[in-house]
Amino acid sequence: MNSDGQISRPRARKGAGTPEPAHASRFPFLADALRRAAPALACFVAIRLLGLAVLAVWSNARGKDAYTLLSARWDSLWYVQIVEHGYGFEVAAPDGRTLSSKAFFPLLPWLEGGVAAVLPVDHADAGLLISAVCSVLAAAGIFFLAEDVYGPRAALLTVALWASVPVAVVQSMAYSESLFTALAVWSLLLTRARHRPAAGVLALLAGLARPVGLAVAVALWAAVAYECRTERGRPRAGDVVGALLAPLGFLAFFLWVGLTTGSPWGYLRVQGGWGNGFDGGVAFARFTVDLLTGPAFVAGVLLLAGVGLLCWVYARGFKDVEGRPAVPLALRVYTGSIVLLALCSSGYFGSKPRLLLPAFALLIPGAAWLAKRPAALSAALVTLLALSSALYGAFWLNGSGPP
């Protein structure tokens, strides 16, 4: 893409000889894009395979099954139950709360059912397959977004860092994070390329995958509003179509839960049964204070340092490149929305790192810095992070795990 968000034609290399005839490939830009992204995708797959190998060895040593940990625990079980029994079941928690399946958005169960209908796999296997494919698609989209501003080396490192975050094992689980991230990143790419109806369709699907899908719609709205203010004065027809489509997935499920529960705020009540809600960060602040005033003081300090780093990267880490914002407005709005929703919602606080997984843009400034360092140093740091992520993921899933 060029600075205007349009896809640029590949430049001819010196000494490359006579260019191929136009009929040699109907989509030469696609072939070129795949060649550019191939090293990053190979790196991503290698890091994730390392994580799975360490998980298998660790789980076997503890007498557990890695496959079960990835596909048949926590949220994975709820998704399979939705596929097999629909949304009509609830579970009574020991503390008296009612846990409803309507807290889970429907796109992943729909896809699990569809994949299991056409392939010889069960619903749990389908969930793993969907996550595997979508994590690679997400990695490809992340590469193209980062490459557009910082170049291919920084883009490769961004993908490698995303594969190496401490909770990266979730990318390989039958969870909806990989599915959502793939839809979000490609919607952002299409928004930047000004293919707004297609971006709106992907935003709609993201809203059917996770409740934070609304962040993708808001990002598209921000891009359209900014262009109208600075360039055209009024939106094009495609912009209007995309903007109208973007929130429909989230709104449709929200309204459906309201209708089936007999209350317009039924979805919020369902989430409340799980202890989840948006309280502006009050519960998170109390949790942090409890850590700082209790025996886990060090953990509280580390938590504050982590939140401070997130805020600094968001506020100062996205430096301008050649006089233009390094990170497009839509990506800034999307990332800020993800961080805001993760930190300002109540619920189980061990889930916060997992909820931040789709905020991949926070890794771009670090990758850009690392791209300027010697290749040996970059490779060593990525290797260390990949090993650390593999070990932490195995420890995490064999312990408390992601709820």
Side-chain angles (χ1 to χ4, degrees):
M1 295 181 186
N2 58 25
S3 61
D4 294 325
Q6 306 299 319
I7 296 176
S8 303
R9 294 182 179 179
R11 296 179 179 176
R13 295 175 297 168
K14 293 183 178 180
T18 304
E20 293 182 348
H23 60 76
S25 172
R26 293 184 62 188
F27 304 101
F29 64 89
L30 179 59
D32 178 68
L34 291 175
R35 284 194 296 270
R36 298 198 318 271
L41 297 183
C43 179
F44 176 82
V45 171
I47 293 173
R48 294 308 325 127
L49 288 177
L50 172 65
L52 294 178
V54 172
L55 174 64
V57 172
W58 191 303
S59 302
N60 184 66
R62 292 178 58 87
K64 295 184 178 182
D65 180 39
Y67 169 81
T68 300
L69 295 176
L70 292 170
S71 66
R73 291 186 68 187
W74 305 295
D75 291 8
S76 302
L77 288 173
W78 283 89
Y79 287 124
V80 171
Q81 288 294 314
I82 292 169
V83 179
E84 296 177 350
H85 305 290
Y87 276 101
F89 68 96
E90 298 176 341
V91 173
D95 60 3
R97 290 179 297 132
T98 299
L99 308 181
S100 171
S101 57
K102 293 175 182 176
F104 296 88
F105 275 56
L107 185 58
L108 180 57
W110 288 348
L111 292 176
E112 287 179 343
V115 170
V118 300
L119 296 179
V121 296
D122 62 21
H123 296 131
D125 289 334
L128 291 178
L129 179 60
I130 291 165
S131 288
V133 172
C134 287
S135 66
V136 174
L137 290 174
I142 291 169
F143 174 85
F144 293 129
L145 273 174
E147 181 198 39
D148 193 30
V149 175
Y150 287 109
R153 188 179 179 199
L156 185 152
L157 289 168
T158 302
V159 171
L161 292 178
W162 192 63
S164 304
V165 296
V167 295
V169 69
V170 175
Q171 298 165 6
S172 302
M173 297 179 67
Y175 269 44
S176 60
E177 271 74 11
S178 291
L179 171 63
F180 171 77
T181 305
L183 292 168
V185 69
W186 282 96
S187 178
L188 290 166
L189 274 167
L190 290 169
T191 296
R192 182 156 172 76
R194 304 191 182 187
H195 299 307
R196 301 295 160 66
V201 170
L202 292 185
L204 183 156
L205 293 174
L208 288 171
R210 293 191 61 79
V212 291
L214 197 58
V216 188
V218 172
L220 193 157
W221 295 342
V224 171
Y226 178 78
E227 290 170 13
C228 290
R229 184 172 66 86
T230 60
E231 298 177 15
R232 299 186 303 272
R234 60 181 181 179
R236 299 174 301 180
D239 295 337
V240 174
V241 171
L244 292 176
L245 286 172
L248 293 184
F250 172 85
L251 292 176
F253 187 70
F254 188 95
L255 293 174
W256 177 81
V257 174
L259 289 173
T260 57
T261 58
S263 168
W265 311 112
Y267 177 74
L268 300 180
R269 294 181 180 179
V270 166
Q271 286 287 2
W274 284 83
N276 297 325
F278 187 87
D279 62 1
V282 173
F284 186 62
R286 289 174 178 170
F287 175 75
T288 305
V289 170
D290 288 342
L291 290 178
L292 292 172
T293 57
F297 173 78
V298 175
V301 172
L302 292 176
L303 178 60
L304 282 179
V307 173
L309 179 62
L310 285 178
C311 295
W312 181 88
V313 169
Y314 185 78
R316 302 290 300 277
F318 298 147
K319 297 180 180 179
D320 289 355
V321 174
E322 298 178 354
R324 62 190 177 98
V327 176
L329 176 64
L331 185 53
R332 288 175 181 256
V333 171
Y334 164 79
T335 303
S337 299
I338 294 292
V339 173
L340 181 69
L341 291 170
L343 298 183
C344 294
S345 60
S346 58
Y348 179 65
F349 297 102
S351 296
K352 300 298 183 184
R354 175 171 67 88
L355 299 179
L356 287 168
L357 191 60
F360 54 86
L362 294 172
L363 301 170
I364 295 177
W369 177 87
L370 201 56
K372 299 176 182 178
R373 310 281 83 80
L377 175 61
S378 300
L381 287 176
V382 168
T383 300
L384 177 62
L385 290 172
L387 287 170
S388 300
S389 173
L391 291 170
Y392 180 77
F395 167 78
W396 195 37
L397 290 197
N398 279 276
S400 61

